[in-house]
């Protein structure tokens, strides 16, 4: 950082445009660096996605696609896995599927050891197969940890998967701090269910 710091203000000053991923990040960076940033988040075309549909009665599927980094999402993903395990133990026909990269498989299997209703998927999916996998869920999960270190790292980020989850037509469940930009967006636009405490009963 010390090596790059001298060049960074000059690059910002000379830039014709400065982009961030969302309004919260634009505001924070504007205050920090003294330049205007334009929010430009992940873009999708809803027409590329399967038409939203009601799933027939049967197994209730909660699906999460993303990383399992310890300073981003792992604790909250585990919390959801624990809640689903309790629901299954009480007689609910419910499963949790985690679609992640191969590098996170060991983390998922260790953290969810003893969870009979959590499945980890690391297969590469085509774009079409990925969209169908998301759309065939009952609930899609967005998760962020509650600890201060994780929040300081990702609080201004808008989840790249948020447009995917919304386009899929599934219910979006977000578990994470109220101060996180993604959860703030979901609450503002009233387009998802938010759990803002690391409380298994609330999940």
């Amino acid at each position: 950082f010390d090596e790059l710091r001298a060049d960074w203000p000059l690059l910002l000053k000379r830039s014709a445009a400065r982009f961030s991923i969302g309004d919260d990040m634009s505001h924070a960076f504007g205050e920090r660096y003294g330049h205007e940033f334009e929010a430009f988040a992940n873009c999708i075309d809803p027409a590329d996605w399967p038409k939203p549909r009601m799933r027939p009665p049967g197994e209730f599927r909660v699906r999460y696609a993303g990383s399992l980094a310890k300073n981003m999402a792992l604790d909250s993903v585990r919390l959801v896995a624990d809640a689903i395990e309790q629901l299954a133990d009480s007689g609910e026909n419910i499963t949790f599927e985690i679609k992640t990269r191969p590098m996170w498989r060991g983390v998922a299997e260790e953290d969810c050891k003893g969870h009979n209703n959590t499945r980890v998927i690391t297969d590469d999916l085509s774009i079409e197969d990925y969209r169908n996998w998301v759309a065939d869920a009952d609930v899609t999960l967005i998760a962020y940890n509650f600890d201060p270190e994780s929040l300081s790292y990702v609080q201004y980020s808008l989840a790249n998967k948020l447009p995917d989850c919304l386009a899929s037509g599934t219910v979006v469940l977000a578990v994470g701090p109220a101060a996180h930009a993604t959860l703030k967006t979901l609450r503002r636009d009233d387009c998802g269910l938010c759990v803002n405490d690391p409380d298994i009963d609330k999940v």
Side-chain angles (χ1 to χ4, degrees):
F1 178 75
D2 287 339
E3 291 294 325
L4 296 172
R5 179 164 44 190
D7 288 340
W8 180 234
L10 182 62
L11 288 169
L12 291 176
K13 183 178 180 179
R14 288 186 169 186
S15 296
R18 291 162 291 272
F19 295 107
S20 78
I21 201 168
D23 292 335
D24 281 14
M25 187 178 288
S26 289
H27 179 72
F29 283 9
E31 286 192 340
R32 186 181 302 173
Y33 301 120
H35 295 282
E36 185 175 341
F37 284 74
E38 183 178 351
F40 190 82
N42 187 28
C43 300
I44 60 138
D45 184 348
D48 293 336
W49 284 75
K51 296 293 184 185
R53 59 190 182 275
M54 294 292 292
R55 293 189 65 250
E59 182 182 79
F60 191 89
R61 299 174 186 166
V62 180
R63 288 180 169 167
Y64 169 81
S67 82
L68 296 171
K70 292 182 179 180
N71 62 347
M72 287 182 65
L74 180 61
D75 291 344
S76 287
V77 171
R78 185 195 312 115
L79 177 65
V80 172
D82 291 344
I84 288 170
E85 200 68 15
Q86 283 192 12
L87 287 168
D89 288 345
S90 71
E92 298 291 341
N93 184 10
I94 185 170
T95 58
F96 185 31
E97 294 182 9
I98 299 170
K99 169 76 178 79
T100 193
R101 294 167 61 187
M103 63 183 288
W104 300 116
R105 175 179 282 280
V107 174
E109 291 175 346
E110 179 64 28
D111 258 52
C112 296
K113 190 180 295 182
H115 289 62
N116 299 317
N117 299 278
T118 297
R119 302 168 190 156
V120 181
I121 302 165
T122 57
D123 299 338
D124 283 334
L125 300 178
S126 68
I127 293 294
E128 183 179 359
D129 287 343
Y130 166 74
R131 290 176 182 145
N132 285 324
W133 182 81
V134 175
D136 197 38
D138 294 289
V139 170
T140 50
L141 173 68
I142 295 174
Y144 293 101
N145 295 341
F146 289 89
D147 65 283
E149 181 182 351
S150 295
L151 181 60
S152 71
Y153 178 38
V154 296
Q155 64 180 322
Y156 300 131
S157 292
L158 196 66
N160 278 322
K161 75 188 86 172
L162 177 58
D164 294 352
C165 294
L166 294 173
S168 73
T170 65
V171 173
V172 179
L173 171 64
V175 178
H180 193 285
T182 300
L183 281 89
K184 288 167 68 173
T185 299
L186 286 166
R187 287 197 314 275
R188 182 196 68 202
D189 296 337
D190 192 22
C191 55
L193 304 174
C194 296
V195 177
N196 297 135
D197 298 293
D199 184 325
I200 193 169
D201 292 328
K202 291 183 178 179
V203 174

